[in-house]
Amino acid sequence: MTLHGYVRRDGRVGARNRLLVLPSVICATRVAAEVAERAGGISITHQHGCSQIGDDGILTGNAFEGIASNPNVGGSIVVSLGCETILGSRVADSIASNGGLVRFVGIQDSGGTDAAEEAGAVAAAELRPLIERIPRSPISVDELVVGVELSRVSALARGFVADAVRQGATVLIGAEALPFLPDPPSAQRSFAFGKRVRRRGLMILEDAGRGAEQHVAFAAAGAQVIVAFPGERDGAVGSPICPVVSVGGSALHAALGDDFDMNESRTVHELWALVSEVFGGRASRLEELGLSAFALRRLERTM
Amino acid sequence: MKLTGFERNDGRWGFRNHTLVLPLSLTACVAAERLASLVPNTVAVRHDWSRSGALIDIQRVERTFIGFAAHPNVGATLAIGLDDEDERVIEAVRATGARVEFDSLSAHGGTAKLVESAEPVLAGLVRETERLARKPAPVASICLGLECGGSDGLSGVTANPALGVASDLLVSAGGTSVLAETSELVGAEYLLAARAVSDAVGADVVAMIERFERYAASVGVDIRGGQPGPGNMDGGLSTIEEKSLGAAKKGGSAPVQSVLDFAEAPSSPGLHVMDTPGNDIEQMVGMVAAGCQIVGFTTGRGTPTGSPIAPCLKIATNNEVFRRLGHDIDLNSGVIIDGAGVAEVGREIFDAIIGTAAGELTASERHGHREFALSRLEPQSAGVRA
């Protein structure tokens, strides 16, 4: 099956071509949501960006820059309040220095909520045509980067990881899942949260966090698609950046069956086929339902 | 202006009459938002709680959920869980006499069917909520949250002392006030302890600050050096002590009745100190979950935020920010620099608190600001399951 994706300026390939409206702090989430809604973009309602200290603040800043630099994002607007710890202007500068298409809107700079929403609409109108002119092109499977949340490990999960690596895709998993892969494919390399993955094969993400927190880590690393095997007491959770294909297995998952793409009795071949289709534009079940959520790993208390 | 409100079953008074959609886990947040967008006159919150963490955080989060669902500004709550286990939290809400319904995603096979099934239930709750009318309410029923965010060099000179005057007026009328933001009381602990109603309460104030400083040091941060934030410094604040001495002025001069845990309801009228993060939203959520029906929020840099269920009255510390961000700010205390008296502006804030409680919308309500966050004490703990 030939894959088609959006080829970015740095050569990476996106499975989606999204306009991201990223608030750099919780205080800017309302404006960001309004801008995204009017412009047909996606925004993220999160709780971060202020009163964060040390490594925790660094992790949040890296996550913001990383997800906005994900190849599924065609362009982004950073919405800042102006007095937050993770300064939005710096986040926007980092995205730009990574080669990303980005605009900056400051709420205090603009003169408040209404003025910032206007500024956001202007920025979105500038970005939209630049984003939309990028077509899907045929790409090689080597360009595929799949994050696999292994909160529950099954024969299907193990088989999918091995098969995806064998086909040439790059597969990201959290370090804590490694012991559950009894015969892990070779050439594992580890990388840190917020760092873009630049090598191929099976990549181990150190300290990826739990459950849906891993989705942010995978998105920041550059995954285009996420395959989730949620924990037995967790539901299916989508991501604003990456399509998430969710595979159920527990009794709770069966009771939430309509939110899952498939259950773990299916074959590796069927899962791989679905992931390929979702890469090419088919909506995953969570995308169809509009179920996207955001949970970012926290290292410390907020001050 | 005459104060009016909504009298609740537990004897408290509400000054808004919201119908709340409360998701009890991350997975239920989109369903809650969708329900709130389908049924007019409802409000949902969004958060990132995945039902696991340190025991102390599970208790903190559940206290927050219960405080919101049973809040006097809320006429009825529809809580959405992932499965039936989430209903345990709701039992505690029912025990308060508050009106609450519970449903779960797993009872319906997933999000879409849950939304379909819960929509008429939510519409029914709105009809029930709206049956209750305002009636004259005692000023003593007000519980006021005191907050500052985006402070500048004038915060401690204009808006905070004026809000302190308003707090004193409320306390002398038999009402309740909550001063919080532990990180922004560092350096002011002995001034507050000296006003405590007993030596034991004074010792609690000092212990609260010491606990916070020990934590900050344990993660390698000298808080007296790490604060104020970049926006504060641009606004002319040089040290955390300077920021704190100004921040504490929001508490006026009333005696300190007790030190409250995060989201813990005050057990008596008067001024209380609550142990919360300085983070604007986490602090506001803690005070509101404790039962504050209205928040007085001073700002030097200008911040537009509000609460999903409590009106948040914004007070500018300087003329410039009021001029530039006037649509997001309700009152200007910058006039104190031009010669207006602190007492006079404090009285104006008090009157605005009464007017807001009686139904006038604040700037953040008009703009639909309803930020919500859950703070954690031990965020890295895999801990136990709720």
Side-chain angles (χ1 to χ4, degrees):
Chain A
M1 178 179 202
T2 312
L3 294 169
H4 289 78
Y6 302 93
V7 180
R8 305 297 177 196
R9 282 184 283 189
D10 62 3
R12 291 189 301 165
V13 176
R16 297 291 181 270
N17 198 25
R18 291 182 170 156
L19 167 62
L20 172 66
V21 187
L22 176 67
S24 57
V25 61
I26 182 171
C27 310
T29 50
R30 170 76 194 147
V31 169
E34 194 67 31
V35 170
E37 194 179 320
R38 282 201 234 161
I42 45 163
S43 76
I44 298 171
T45 302
H46 66 71
Q47 317 195 347
H48 306 268
C50 206
S51 326
Q52 293 183 265
I53 55 168
D55 289 345
D56 187 54
I58 293 168
L59 180 120
T60 298
N62 288 346
F64 288 167
E65 290 158 31
I67 60 175
S69 304
N70 183 287
N72 288 347
V73 174
S76 57
I77 301 168
V78 176
V79 183
S80 154
L81 177 58
C83 53
E84 65 270 17
T85 317
I86 315 290
L87 276 175
S89 51
R90 286 195 206 143
V91 173
D93 288 346
S94 300
I95 297 166
S97 68
N98 288 341
L101 188 60
V102 62
R103 296 287 184 275
F104 173 79
V105 172
I107 295 174
Q108 288 166 352
D109 284 355
S110 307
T113 300
D114 299 332
E117 286 173 7
E118 288 308 314
V122 170
E126 283 171 22
L127 289 178
R128 267 259 156 255
L130 299 175
I131 295 170
E132 282 167 1
R133 73 178 182 203
I134 301 167
R136 276 194 190 265
S137 324
I139 58 127
S140 147
V141 70
D142 296 358
E143 303 295 337
L144 187 59
V145 182
V146 188
V148 184
E149 181 208 327
L150 291 167
S151 297
R152 179 185 170 85
V153 181
S154 61
L156 177 59
R158 283 190 286 265
F160 177 77
V161 169
D163 193 53
V165 172
R166 192 162 50 240
Q167 300 217 35
T170 296
V171 176
L172 316 180
I173 64 170
E176 69 291 333
L178 200 55
F180 298 107
L181 298 174
D183 188 17
S186 56
Q188 308 153 27
R189 300 181 188 96
S190 66
F191 66 104
F193 184 99
K195 292 277 180 272
R196 182 184 297 191
V197 167
R198 293 175 193 278
R199 303 171 76 175
R200 299 203 163 114
L202 180 66
M203 302 288 298
I204 312 301
L205 179 52
E206 301 295 343
D207 216 17
R210 298 188 300 268
E213 291 174 353
Q214 295 189 10
H215 300 186
V216 179
F218 295 148
Q224 305 108 340
V225 177
I226 291 169
V227 178
F229 297 86
E232 61 182 27
R233 284 198 57 221
D234 291 322
V237 174
S239 151
I241 307 295
C242 302
V244 176
V245 172
S246 49
V247 183
S250 72
L252 175 62
H253 299 162
L256 297 166
D258 191 44
D259 293 352
F260 283 80
D261 288 284
M262 61 173 62
N263 94 16
E264 66 193 20
S265 65
R266 304 284 280 277
T267 66
V268 170
H269 179 75
E270 286 172 309
L271 178 54
W272 178 255
L274 178 60
V275 169
S276 304
E277 280 181 47
V278 166
F279 184 96
R282 172 176 166 179
S284 73
R285 185 61 188 140
L286 290 162
E287 285 185 304
E288 278 174 356
L289 291 164
L291 293 181
S292 101
F294 186 84
L296 177 58
R297 182 158 170 68
R298 300 160 195 242
L299 299 179
E300 302 299 345
R301 298 176 192 178
T302 45
M303 291 289 106
Chain B
M1 178 180 269
K2 201 87 194 97
L3 180 61
T4 59
F6 302 92
E7 191 175 17
R8 303 299 179 194
N9 292 337
D10 63 359
R12 290 187 297 172
W13 289 77
F15 298 108
R16 292 294 182 268
N17 201 25
H18 289 293
T19 303
L20 173 68
V21 191
L22 179 66
L24 300 172
S25 81
L26 173 75
T27 316
C29 284
V30 175
E33 263 173 16
R34 194 147 304 160
L35 281 162
S37 71
L38 288 169
V39 181
N41 302 325
T42 61
V43 62
V45 300
R46 182 176 266 254
H47 57 77
D48 59 5
W49 179 242
S50 289
R51 310 200 295 176
S52 72
L55 183 60
I56 196 172
D57 283 330
I58 292 174
Q59 292 166 343
R60 190 177 171 95
V61 167
E62 291 186 352
R63 209 156 60 230
T64 305
F65 287 158
I66 295 164
F68 265 65
H71 196 277
N73 283 356
V74 173
T77 299
L78 173 62
I80 308 291
L82 187 51
D83 56 27
D84 287 349
E85 286 177 47
D86 289 327
E87 194 166 9
R88 190 175 46 82
V89 182
I90 296 313
E91 291 303 337
V93 179
R94 290 196 180 108
T96 69
R99 182 76 177 94
V100 61
E101 290 286 345
F102 172 84
D103 207 344
S104 75
L105 299 181
S106 65
H108 299 275
T111 303
K113 288 277 165 47
L114 171 277
V115 169
E116 210 173 282
S117 162
E119 187 186 341
V121 175
L122 181 59
L125 287 176
V126 172
R127 282 193 297 275
E128 273 182 53
T129 300
E130 291 180 348
R131 244 178 254 143
L132 191 65
R134 279 185 183 269
K135 56 183 184 182
V139 172
S141 67
I142 295 178
C143 182
L144 173 70
L146 303 167
E147 178 152 2
C148 52
S151 296
D152 69 354
L154 287 177
S155 297
V157 181
T158 58
N160 290 351
L163 183 55
V165 168
S167 171
D168 284 344
L169 287 168
L170 177 62
V171 167
S172 61
T176 310
S177 250
V178 179
L179 179 68
E181 303 172 281
T182 306
S183 59
E184 290 158 35
L185 295 174
V186 172
E189 61 269 32
Y190 288 97
L191 292 176
L192 289 169
R195 277 163 48 196
V197 292
S198 69
D199 289 349
V201 170
D204 285 349
V205 174
V206 174
M208 177 186 87
I209 299 296
E210 284 177 356
R211 241 182 358 255
F212 172 75
E213 286 200 90
R214 267 200 309 277
Y215 170 76
S218 77
V219 296
V221 173
D222 172 7
I223 191 63
R224 298 197 190 233
Q227 270 266 15
N232 300 141
M233 290 194 265
D234 287 346
L237 284 172
S238 57
T239 64
I240 182 62
E241 289 89 344
E242 186 186 1
K243 185 173 169 181
S244 294
L245 293 174
K249 291 211 160 107
K250 301 191 299 294
S253 57
V256 175
Q257 303 291 330
S258 79
V259 173
L260 302 167
D261 197 355
F262 184 87
E264 179 189 354
S267 58
S268 64
L271 176 69
H272 298 259
V273 175
M274 182 181 288
D275 187 7
T276 74
N279 178 292
D280 290 353
I281 310 305
E282 292 183 9
Q283 178 205 352
M284 191 162 10
V285 166
M287 295 191 307
V288 171
C292 291
Q293 310 104 324
I294 179 163
V295 176
F297 189 132
T298 68
T299 183
R301 310 297 294 169
T303 178
T305 50
S307 161
I309 60 170
C312 174
L313 196 69
K314 287 275 161 49
I315 304 147
T317 71
N318 64 79
N319 296 329
E320 169 66 10
V321 77
F322 187 67
R323 189 184 60 73
R324 282 174 37 77
L325 280 86
H327 293 300
D328 290 308
I329 297 176
D330 299 286
L331 291 167
N332 179 21
S333 72
V335 290
I336 290 169
I337 293 302
D338 305 330
V342 171
E344 177 194 332
V345 175
R347 164 59 70 173
E348 193 191 322
I349 294 171
F350 180 76
D351 291 343
I353 289 167
I354 302 293
T356 300
E360 283 169 20
L361 292 182
T362 60
S364 55
E365 288 179 298
R366 287 196 301 272
H367 283 104
H369 283 284
R370 43 176 181 265
E371 288 72 18
F372 184 81
L374 293 171
S375 75
R376 317 303 206 264
L377 293 175
E378 294 177 30
Q380 288 212 58
S381 169
V384 282
R385 303 297 304 231

